[in-house]
Amino acid sequence: MYKRGHLGVAMLTLAPITFWLLVGGYPAFAVLVAGTVLYLAMLPDMDHRVPGISHRGPTHSLLFAGVVGAVFAGAASLVEPVFSIAVPAGLSMVAFGFLLGFGSVVAHLLGDVITPAGVNFLWPYPKEWSLYLTNADSTLWNWGLFALGVCAMAGAVALAVRGVPV
Ligand SMILES: [Zn+2]
């Protein structure tokens, strides 16, 4: 999947979370989460640039998602004593940091799992999973997911700000 498609999947993943954070009264968190997830949307594809790492290998795995989550959790534990903010759902900042890093990578993997090359979720165990929905270079899917993502985010923000009609 290309960058536009990945941003689309990231926004589709973010939409319900953004809605939940806004309705819960955490607008700053909503922006922080959306910014982080979109910023990290292409992180696993750094394997294109690091020599010696195969594409869709180690950086496209739940193990890597866990490592990124652990880095975020570590950063949160350093920040927590100095700068403590109310975290939704009674989570600790460390747990929240882990979920944020982990989820950012998983959102990327969801974008790749629909293509025939698939994702080796359990790397180093060699097995690729694929939903065979589209090729990674499909203009229709990349733009379609991007457009859906934008609509989902806009809808989530509009519903949260105006209140859900009942
Ligand atoms: Zn990828």
Side-chain angles (χ1 to χ4, degrees):
M1 191 51 57
Y2 287 4
K3 183 170 188 180
R4 207 178 310 279
H6 276 303
L7 289 175
V9 174
M11 285 187 284
L12 283 172
T13 315
L14 278 168
I17 301 167
T18 303
F19 176 78
W20 173 66
L21 288 173
L22 289 176
V23 168
Y26 300 96
F29 252 96
V31 174
L32 175 81
V33 169
T36 308
V37 173
L38 292 176
Y39 183 73
L40 293 180
M42 297 308 284
L43 180 70
D45 282 351
M46 73 180 186
D47 57 11
H48 283 303
R49 275 168 283 142
V50 184
I53 298 186
S54 60
H55 182 46
R56 295 201 183 178
T59 62
H60 286 67
S61 65
L62 293 176
L63 182 64
F64 182 71
V67 169
V68 175
V71 169
F72 271 69
S77 73
L78 293 178
V79 170
E80 193 165 35
V82 203
F83 176 70
S84 187
I85 23 180
V87 179
L91 289 171
S92 70
M93 270 181 79
V94 173
F96 192 82
F98 180 84
L99 288 174
L100 190 54
F102 188 83
S104 298
V105 174
V106 169
H108 180 99
L109 301 186
L110 291 179
D112 280 343
V113 79
I114 64 174
T115 69
V119 173
N120 189 350
F121 282 105
L122 297 181
W123 183 93
Y125 177 75
K127 173 157 174 42
E128 256 88 51
W129 280 269
S130 170
L131 298 175
Y132 298 100
L133 290 179
T134 174
N135 286 327
D137 60 356
S138 160
T139 308
L140 181 69
W141 273 84
N142 277 288
W143 274 102
L145 284 170
F146 185 75
L148 273 176
V150 170
C151 290
M153 278 299 273
V157 172
L159 279 178
V161 171
R162 291 177 174 194
V164 185
V166 273

